Amino acid sequence: MRFFMNLSYRGEPFHGWQVQPGDISVQEVIEKALATLARRPVPLTGAGRTDAGVNAHSMTAHFDWHEIPDAGLLRALNSLCGPDIAIHSIRRVADDAHARFDATERSYRYYAVTDKNPFARGLAWKAPAGLDFDAMNSAASLLLGKRDFTSFAKLHSDAKTNICDLRAAAWHRASDNAWYFEIVADRFLRNMVRAVVGTLVDVGRHKMSPEAILDILNRKDRCAAGTSMPAGALFLWDVKYPESIFV
């Protein structure tokens, strides 16, 4: 039987989501915990691949299990996975449901603070004084729609297409001294969100006009866009699925 696992994790201790030789990953930690409990290998497939240091507020992954899990499985997994991973729920889904391919929408948030905040250290970017968030929102609005985001993608990725349907992109004030950028799309390219944020920050620093982002899109050249922002302030915020796949 197939199940969806909903979890969150702090990205700092891990070299991203995906298993890779020589580096600890979120996927590896959970697969080892599942294998310990099942006494056999249990592959785990995530909704996507977060890069090293990127956090997840809500990640979904699927795995196959031999029986209906009870609360004991959830407690055991949380115990085995350590303090930086929290597994919130396990739900049965259709046997052919897929955490990556059945996702209809994904959202990310990038956090920024405008003053020194020791409690946000490592989880929010310290923005410079005078950053023009109105200009950044004007630029972000020009990204909406189904577009080719090659200029914001990491080079030499294995993506078959660089077309993404961007449904929302805006900076929101969280408090007097804190902001977050929320971006929503059907899919994202590798490093895309951090590159978009870096380009918007150039707009906010008045290094370019908001309209310049259209030229960057049209050039389909990663070198045309801004720098990639630090990973620790980025959160995979949510992944949505059709209710029809849940049993």
Side-chain angles (χ1 to χ4, degrees):
M1 293 175 284
R2 180 152 294 181
F3 297 89
F4 271 14
M5 171 191 296
N6 178 259
L7 66 144
S8 57
Y9 52 85
R10 186 181 177 107
E12 183 181 17
F14 304 106
H15 202 80
W17 164 266
Q18 190 174 25
V19 171
Q20 46 198 300
D23 293 300
I24 190 71
S25 70
V26 179
Q27 182 185 25
E28 178 186 356
V29 170
I30 302 174
E31 284 188 341
K32 284 183 176 179
L34 287 166
T36 297
L37 297 172
R39 298 182 181 179
R40 61 174 174 82
V42 181
L44 184 70
T45 301
R49 307 173 189 173
T50 54
D51 290 336
V54 175
N55 312 286
H57 169 266
S58 181
M59 164 67 96
T60 299
H62 77 247
F63 67 101
D64 295 334
W65 201 249
H66 53 280
E67 61 184 1
I68 301 293
D70 58 16
L73 176 63
L74 202 60
R75 287 194 299 269
L77 285 172
N78 275 305
S79 177
L80 291 168
C81 287
D84 296 303
I85 299 172
I87 300 169
H88 305 297
S89 65
I90 296 173
R91 295 181 64 185
R92 189 177 176 189
V93 293
D95 290 343
D96 60 350
H98 198 286
R100 179 182 176 190
F101 299 132
D102 285 333
T104 58
E105 188 172 276
R106 297 164 171 85
S107 60
Y108 282 85
R109 289 186 181 183
Y110 196 89
Y111 281 85
V113 292
T114 54
D115 64 348
K116 188 175 181 180
N117 183 346
F119 302 107
R121 184 173 59 85
L123 295 173
W125 173 66
K126 173 60 174 67
L131 200 62
D132 189 342
F133 285 95
D134 289 336
M136 291 195 292
N137 272 340
S138 294
S141 69
L142 299 176
L143 295 172
L144 299 179
K146 190 172 288 188
R147 299 178 178 276
D148 187 321
F149 283 90
T150 298
S151 290
F152 300 98
K154 191 165 187 176
L155 299 177
H156 312 301
S157 74
D158 58 357
K160 294 181 180 179
T161 175
N162 289 341
I163 302 293
C164 303
D165 181 11
L166 200 64
R167 299 164 185 176
W171 287 92
H172 303 273
R173 185 186 285 275
S175 68
D176 288 345
N177 302 307
W179 293 76
Y180 66 89
F181 176 66
E182 185 165 53
I183 186 167
V184 182
D186 61 336
R187 62 192 292 269
F188 288 93
L189 306 175
R190 189 176 179 190
N191 205 238
M192 173 177 158
V193 179
R194 291 159 62 195
V196 167
V197 175
T199 307
L200 294 178
V201 167
D202 284 345
V203 173
R205 286 172 163 161
H206 297 152
K207 291 183 176 181
M208 66 174 72
S209 69
E211 293 73 24
I213 207 160
L214 292 174
D215 178 60
I216 292 171
L217 276 171
N218 291 333
R219 288 172 66 179
K220 299 178 184 177
D221 179 3
R222 177 65 186 91
C223 295
T227 187
S228 181
M229 297 293 284
L234 181 61
F235 290 74
L236 171 60
W237 198 253
D238 198 15
V239 186
K240 295 190 181 299
Y241 297 91
E243 275 300 318
S244 58
I245 69 174
F246 294 96
V247 175

